[in-house]
Amino acid sequence: MLTATQTLAPAVLSRSHGAPSSFSSQPRRTAAAASRVSCTRVGALSEVVNGELVVGDQEQTTDDLLTRHKNVVADYTLSATVTVSLKQDDSTPQKVADMVNRDWLFLDFFSSHIEGMHTEPQLARYSHMDGKGSFIYEASFSIPSSLDAVGAVQVVNRYSSEVYISDIDVHLCGGRHQWTDITFHCNSWIDYNPNDQRFFFPLKSYLPSQTPRGVKNLRKEELRAIRGDGRGERKEWERIYDYDVYNDLGDPDNDPATRRPVLGGRGRPYPRRCRTGRRRCRTDPSSESPPAKDGAGIYVPRDEAFTERKAGAFATKKALSALSAFTTAQRVSGDRRRGFPSLAAIDALYEDGYKNRPSSSQQEADNLEGYFREVLQKQVKLLLKGEKEEFKEELRKVFKFQTPEIHDKDKLAWFRDEEFARQTLAGMNPLSIQLVRDTDFPIFSKLDEETYGPGDSLITKELIEEQINGVMTAEEAVEKKKLFMLDYHDVLLPFVHAVRELDDTTLYASRTLFFLTEDGTLRPIAIELTRPKSPNTPQWRQVFTPGSSVAASWLWQLAKTHVLAHDTGYHQLVSHWLRTHCCVEPYVIAANRRLSQMHPIYRLLHPHFRFTMEINAQARGMLINANGIIESAFAPGKLCMELSSAVYDKFWRFDMEALPADLIRRGMAIECEDGKLELTIEDYPYANDGLLIWDSIKEWVSDYVNHYYQLASDIHMDKELQGWWNEVRTKGHPDKEEGWPELNCHGSLVEVLTTIIWVASGHHAAVNFGQYPYAGYFPNRPTIARRNMPTEGQACSHDGMQPTFVEDPVRVLLDTFPSQYQTTLVLPVLNLLSSHSPGEEYMGTHAESAWMADREVRAAFGRFNERMMSIAEMIDCRNKDPERKNRQGPGVVPYVLLKPSYGDPKDMTSVMEMGIPNSISI
């Protein structure tokens, strides 16, 4: 029989009455040249003979394991309790019976001081089941006095399935010393495959230079094993972290139209993803074959995968999205272009039918699977009976959507200029608004005029002064920091012609100018839309302003619709996907490849990387893939990921991802002489709350770093830390050469770590959880614009407008909005992306066991927790302040996206105020 092994959390047995002082792991060889002890290497039983490691026969029997080392002189007794779980799919009566009755779980404890010295393998026998459905196993060992400190525990799994080891509780008694109880926090899956090798390290963290002598080699061996060799297809049970380019978004073997360019490399710079090693496509060897549509073939290192509870909730909502699209396709008879017939038809999406569905709250998330199983059974019966009309009607009742917060607060919010402007500061994408500096005025494009046409803007000094009623000159407005802009001109202009070749969509480049009023709110004053020149047509561009006539007002509304589609697409592709999900994945891969699990920086970052690789793999299979939801319903269609690559190439820099640096770059803040920031717009909710969170994170990180690194030279000489940061730059983001700080002192290390933690937590929360509350009512945030402006083209009449617009402007607006199919494809996805997962871990409340095991770190985290609770209270006060008009007032949605978790979740009325998750897990 083949054996599978795992070395689990080692522990130095502390004589104190507090938490164990250290845990350590042990290399699999002996220092005593003449001794002969058994050890394990990748599942094979081995022996050390005269200092040489000899791999033995893997076909060892249970008796072989239990009959080794009988000549042990017992000094005290070690008892171990192991908590084990099965996957739900494996929890059949037969499997449970096997778990209870078979002999399959073996433990072996290793010394932390003497290399290779260990107890004999001992069978852990089934004891009972706890109240949570886990199996409890127990084992007892006679420990010689020479084994003065336990350094590791080895687990052999001879069961027929993988098992999840939660904890191993160790109790020692007798002998010369009184020992405290110790818990090994394993939290890992162990496969029955003999090649499944894991190492777990102590709660006490060590820098490489401080590693106890007995575990140094094992620390290095663990990192070597986890990197793999860059060959072969990865298996589900493996824990290999490696890099690859984005070459798996299409499926050219089955549909040549889905071929997509490789992202990553000189031509299209991009961050790297986790390597899966799937076969290359026959028709396009540069592309990797995609995973199966049912998700089979998606690889992430085993312990990066969703928990079963989270996976179930995610799969249910994913199925809901597919069902919704199917239902709509039935209703529109396959016409995916069909728009909504009226504004009332849009509102009907959100009527009473939704209340018949279960809530999407955490408490009821587990009920969704059963609910939709029942619904599907009912629909299938109707379809089999041939009752198609009743089938459609029943499904229509299911897919009523919860009224988004923005529409619930104010039914006309989507139409108001004030709300349009307010959401640039306190909506779901508050990261694009920027100050118009004196160096930016007059406004001018940086693109090549020979290629795209004149670069000067039609938003002139005279137009600005007319729109602000002559209260000041345009130059004075710039000098007094009164002009702000959403600038999607140079980003979108190179893609306009290619997007216009796609079916049922269009694109412009846009600039939107805002004026800062005396009450601290923004007022939109001009929108410029541009189509670049082509070999056959000249450049077209026009400025639209809030109208003084009916026609001008409708043109203004249509121009806003185009700008909102630009902003929504940029939000999804850049502010959300690129700057958080995509750019963080290389940090995760490099941390696991270069930082030992006993490294303090690994311990600090680990909770901020939870589930990120899994959600990104899911996104590559259903969201950002060819013909996926993003391409189908967001501007600019199949060019979405190329746009993301272009922005990464021209604009992304690591040192600009820190919140203060980002605000300064956009002119939204200036740094004062004392180092503090002064906001250009005082009432800027994202920045107001974000800076509180940033400062709190930075103080926590500073306390943590100062605890482990006494001198700057300790940072410079930390080979694992420097190796991690070098790999982030050269392998994870190899296409970006600038913007990487050197890790040479406390300040630079704190800034780098704070930036990564901020992006994974606060930044992601700010751009993620407001998606359904704001964009769920799609006239407020259309994902795509499908029709050109009525003033562009040959069909315009003598007054410069198309006859259809003159006859029915509402119809033109409805046709510009996303189609019925696109809308009901997107809404369930936005709802899914905006939801908090069962078992979410929130910033300031979740503490890692390793943090709690160190008195000073525990105290620092306690201070962090107190600051976060104070911030939550401060945000509540801000949202009640009538002077803060960007977050308080009639119909205004309070800004709570950066409010730390505080109070009872049952009392929370919005998904946006449930807290800041530690990681990008949805």
Side-chain angles (χ1 to χ4, degrees):
M1 176 183 291
L2 297 178
T3 63
T5 68
Q6 179 170 24
T7 303
L8 296 177
V12 173
L13 306 180
S14 171
R15 296 185 177 90
S16 68
H17 295 289
S21 62
S22 67
F23 294 75
S24 56
S25 192
Q26 190 68 23
R28 295 174 176 179
R29 57 188 179 84
T30 182
S35 66
R36 181 184 180 91
V37 296
S38 69
C39 56
T40 309
R41 181 181 182 183
V42 195
L45 293 178
S46 310
E47 293 186 337
V48 177
V49 182
N50 295 326
E52 297 293 325
L53 182 67
V54 181
V55 180
D57 183 6
Q58 290 185 346
E59 297 288 343
Q60 298 292 317
T61 66
T62 300
D63 289 341
D64 292 331
L65 285 172
L66 295 177
T67 54
R68 289 182 175 276
H69 307 291
K70 293 299 183 182
N71 299 321
V72 173
V73 178
D75 187 50
Y76 53 86
T77 301
L78 179 152
S79 61
T81 302
V82 187
T83 304
V84 182
S85 301
L86 280 174
K87 291 192 297 186
Q88 290 182 2
D89 290 345
D90 288 339
S91 298
T92 64
Q94 181 61 47
K95 292 275 189 179
V96 170
D98 286 346
M99 286 278 289
V100 170
N101 297 319
R102 286 180 54 190
D103 295 341
W104 63 272
L105 179 62
F106 293 87
L107 304 179
D108 195 0
F109 287 90
F110 285 69
S111 168
S112 63
H113 297 324
I114 305 173
E115 293 185 67
M117 186 174 187
H118 63 103
T119 64
E120 61 182 90
Q122 185 72 30
L123 176 68
R125 299 185 182 277
Y126 171 78
S127 172
H128 62 280
M129 294 192 73
D130 65 10
K132 300 178 181 179
S134 297
F135 301 83
I136 305 301
Y137 287 77
E138 295 179 347
S140 181
F141 295 78
S142 296
I143 305 297
S145 58
S146 57
L147 192 68
D148 191 56
V150 173
V153 57
Q154 183 180 80
V155 178
V156 177
N157 173 18
R158 286 187 167 174
Y159 187 56
S160 58
S161 300
E162 68 173 356
V163 296
Y164 186 78
I165 304 295
S166 301
D167 300 307
I168 300 178
D169 296 313
V170 179
H171 175 73
L172 297 102
C173 60
R176 296 171 296 163
H177 309 293
Q178 294 298 316
W179 307 94
T180 60
D181 293 345
I182 298 168
T183 298
F184 295 82
H185 297 286
C186 306
N187 298 321
S188 184
W189 292 95
I190 309 176
D191 196 69
Y192 62 94
N193 190 298
N195 292 320
D196 186 13
Q197 177 177 323
R198 313 277 179 84
F199 299 103
F200 292 84
F201 291 101
L203 288 180
K204 181 175 174 60
S205 299
Y206 293 101
L207 299 178
S209 61
Q210 300 167 344
T211 308
R213 182 180 59 86
V215 298
K216 284 187 176 181
N217 289 335
L218 183 56
R219 181 170 182 154
K220 296 176 182 178
E221 181 183 336
E222 174 244 348
L223 289 174
R224 284 194 297 269
I226 213 169
R227 293 171 196 152
D229 58 9
R231 295 180 294 181
E233 182 174 354
R234 299 273 67 87
K235 305 299 188 297
E236 180 184 5
W237 53 266
E238 290 183 315
R239 269 180 83 244
I240 304 300
Y241 295 78
D242 205 352
Y243 303 94
D244 208 344
V245 293
Y246 278 73
N247 63 348
D248 63 341
L249 302 181
D251 189 8
D253 284 350
N254 291 318
D255 183 359
T258 65
R259 179 177 178 176
R260 297 293 181 268
V262 175
L263 303 183
R266 181 172 298 177
R268 291 182 176 87
Y270 217 58
R272 299 307 192 255
R273 63 172 175 92
C274 179
R275 180 186 177 278
T276 64
R278 293 190 298 268
R279 68 168 181 83
R280 294 301 178 100
C281 295
R282 295 184 302 276
T283 57
D284 179 15
S286 67
S287 295
E288 183 178 273
S289 59
K293 293 186 182 299
D294 61 0
I298 287 180
Y299 168 77
V300 293
R302 183 64 182 93
D303 289 333
E304 302 288 346
F306 290 160
T307 63
E308 288 188 281
R309 186 182 181 196
K310 179 178 174 65
F314 183 85
T316 299
K317 292 189 176 183
K318 183 177 173 182
L320 170 61
S321 175
L323 279 170
S324 177
F326 169 75
T327 306
T328 306
Q330 292 285 316
R331 184 166 63 244
V332 300
S333 302
D335 182 6
R336 298 190 177 190
R337 290 182 165 197
R338 185 181 299 181
F340 285 88
S342 65
L343 292 171
I346 295 173
D347 289 345
L349 287 171
Y350 309 97
E351 287 177 353
D352 292 340
Y354 189 89
K355 69 183 181 184
N356 295 321
R357 284 175 46 194
S359 166
S360 59
S361 65
Q362 280 194 22
Q363 291 86 347
E364 298 188 18
D366 294 338
N367 296 332
L368 281 172
E369 183 176 356
Y371 173 79
F372 284 107
R373 187 184 300 115
E374 180 182 339
V375 168
L376 278 174
Q377 289 172 351
K378 185 176 181 180
Q379 310 317 318
V380 170
K381 288 179 181 178
L382 290 172
L383 191 60
L384 291 175
K385 290 180 181 179
E387 301 173 8
K388 291 187 178 181
E389 292 306 315
E390 187 176 351
F391 170 78
K392 295 178 188 178
E393 179 61 20
E394 285 298 315
L395 278 183
R396 186 190 67 79
K397 291 178 182 178
V398 173
F399 296 110
K400 292 286 187 178
F401 297 100
Q402 184 179 26
T403 302
E405 234 171 298
I406 186 66
H407 197 54
D408 193 43
K409 281 275 189 180
D410 182 356
K411 294 294 187 289
L412 296 177
W414 69 278
F415 206 80
R416 301 187 195 281
D417 286 355
E418 298 86 353
E419 183 63 21
F420 169 56
R422 188 191 74 84
Q423 288 182 33
T424 65
L425 302 172
M428 72 178 197
N429 186 33
L431 285 80
S432 289
I433 190 73
Q434 62 188 53
L435 176 71
V436 178
R437 300 177 175 92
D438 54 3
T439 55
D440 303 322
F441 192 80
I443 301 168
F444 204 91
S445 171
K446 296 181 175 64
L447 296 177
D448 178 31
E449 294 191 36
E450 289 295 323
T451 303
Y452 300 105
D456 62 312
S457 173
L458 296 183
I459 303 178
T460 61
K461 163 185 167 62
E462 293 76 19
L463 185 144
I464 293 171
E465 291 171 357
E466 177 184 348
Q467 289 299 310
I468 63 176
N469 300 319
V471 297
M472 62 183 73
T473 66
E475 291 81 4
E476 288 174 332
V478 171
E479 182 182 354
K480 294 180 179 180
K481 299 180 181 177
K482 293 287 188 178
L483 294 181
F484 295 83
M485 184 163 55
L486 283 180
D487 188 359
Y488 294 125
H489 184 277
D490 287 8
V491 170
L492 295 180
L493 201 63
F495 293 89
V496 169
H497 287 310
V499 171
R500 286 183 167 220
E501 293 178 1
L502 305 178
D503 183 51
D504 199 34
T505 189
T506 190
L507 187 66
Y508 295 98
S510 67
R511 297 184 180 104
T512 306
L513 197 68
F514 301 85
F515 180 73
L516 181 63
T517 65
E518 292 301 317
D519 64 2
T521 61
L522 291 176
R523 178 167 65 87
I525 61 176
I527 293 173
E528 181 179 27
L529 299 179
T530 303
R531 181 197 69 201
K533 74 174 187 178
S534 71
N536 301 319
T537 58
Q539 183 190 71
W540 178 91
R541 52 185 177 159
Q542 186 172 347
V543 174
F544 303 89
T545 57
S548 57
S549 67
V550 173
S553 295
W554 275 110
L555 288 172
W556 172 250
Q557 191 64 36
L558 286 167
K560 282 200 304 181
T561 300
H562 282 274
V563 170
L564 286 167
H566 301 164
D567 192 54
T568 303
Y570 191 89
H571 158 267
Q572 196 64 264
L573 294 168
V574 178
S575 302
H576 184 201
W577 164 256
L578 174 66
R579 293 179 63 182
T580 65
H581 287 261
C582 188
C583 285
V584 166
E585 183 161 348
Y587 311 150
V588 183
I589 299 172
N592 281 278
R593 286 168 55 89
R594 293 295 171 180
L595 296 176
S596 166
Q597 293 180 33
M598 67 170 68
H599 198 291
I601 302 306
Y602 179 90
R603 300 282 196 191
L604 175 67
L605 292 175
H606 181 258
H608 302 288
F609 295 157
R610 185 175 185 243
F611 300 145
T612 298
M613 294 181 71
E614 169 78 9
I615 195 63
N616 286 1
Q618 294 285 348
R620 296 199 307 274
M622 64 174 280
L623 289 178
I624 64 171
N625 58 310
N627 294 339
I629 292 169
I630 301 298
E631 284 195 3
S632 299
F634 283 78
K638 71 181 227 178
L639 298 168
C640 282
M641 296 306 290
E642 291 183 62
L643 171 64
S644 177
S645 170
V647 174
Y648 177 74
D649 180 28
K650 293 179 174 60
F651 297 104
W652 189 89
R653 287 174 53 116
F654 178 86
D655 57 355
M656 293 292 105
E657 292 303 287
L659 177 60
D662 177 58
L663 293 172
I664 293 170
R665 172 176 58 177
R666 293 188 282 122
M668 301 305 292
I670 58 173
E671 187 172 7
C672 302
E673 291 183 359
D674 59 2
K676 295 182 179 180
L677 291 190
E678 179 182 315
L679 294 179
T680 311
I681 299 178
E682 185 177 348
D683 183 17
Y684 182 5
Y686 165 73
N688 296 139
D689 298 354
L691 287 172
L692 293 177
I693 300 298
W694 170 272
D695 289 342
S696 184
I697 295 172
K698 189 170 185 178
E699 186 172 343
W700 152 241
V701 171
S702 181
D703 288 344
Y704 190 94
V705 167
N706 288 334
H707 175 64
Y708 286 104
Y709 294 95
Q710 303 301 315
L711 303 171
S713 59
D714 294 335
I715 296 171
H716 181 71
M717 298 300 291
D718 186 336
K719 293 183 178 179
E720 285 186 11
L721 180 71
Q722 297 296 335
W724 164 69
W725 190 233
N726 180 66
E727 188 161 295
V728 165
R729 294 175 293 172
T730 61
K731 292 190 175 182
H733 288 268
D735 304 327
K736 302 294 291 188
E737 296 182 357
E738 298 179 349
W740 301 103
E742 293 293 328
L743 296 186
N744 53 15
C745 64
H746 290 81
S748 62
L749 178 56
V750 168
E751 187 75 7
V752 163
L753 297 175
T754 303
T755 299
I756 291 174
I757 293 172
W758 160 255
V759 170
S761 56
H763 178 149
H764 181 258
V767 298
N768 185 75
F769 295 105
Q771 291 185 86
Y772 190 81
Y774 281 103
Y777 188 73
F778 71 89
N780 183 62
R781 301 288 302 186
T783 59
I784 197 168
R786 300 187 299 140
R787 298 291 178 266
N788 292 338
M789 290 294 292
T791 53
E792 180 197 350
Q794 301 298 321
C796 296
S797 60
H798 67 279
D799 57 1
M801 293 178 286
Q802 295 173 356
T804 53
F805 170 70
V806 176
E807 294 168 6
D808 192 352
V810 175
R811 178 73 266 155
V812 173
L813 177 63
L814 291 168
D815 286 344
T816 302
F817 283 154
S819 69
Q820 293 187 49
Y821 177 81
Q822 289 169 328
T823 298
T824 49
L825 181 69
V826 165
L827 292 188
V829 173
L830 295 181
N831 190 31
L832 165 63
L833 298 179
S834 302
S835 61
H836 288 251
S837 303
E840 193 68 83
E841 296 175 354
Y842 292 98
M843 175 164 284
T845 61
H846 170 77
E848 293 283 286
S849 299
W851 304 347
M852 297 297 99
D854 186 290
R855 184 178 61 184
E856 290 188 29
V857 175
R858 183 169 64 246
F861 182 80
R863 295 190 295 272
F864 180 44
N865 171 263
E866 291 174 359
R867 289 194 302 273
M868 297 298 278
M869 295 305 98
S870 297
I871 291 171
E873 294 176 347
M874 190 180 303
I875 290 174
D876 284 339
C877 291
R878 288 175 171 178
N879 285 325
K880 296 175 183 177
D881 184 355
E883 297 300 315
R884 296 179 180 268
K885 300 186 184 301
N886 289 319
R887 64 195 307 159
Q888 206 280 335
V892 173
V893 177
Y895 191 76
V896 291
L897 284 165
L898 289 172
K899 178 183 173 182
S901 179
Y902 180 67
D904 191 339
K906 296 179 182 178
D907 298 332
M908 297 174 185
T909 59
S910 170
V911 70
M912 295 189 287
E913 66 173 336
M914 293 182 67
I916 304 171
N918 271 328
S919 64
I920 303 165
S921 62
I922 190 64

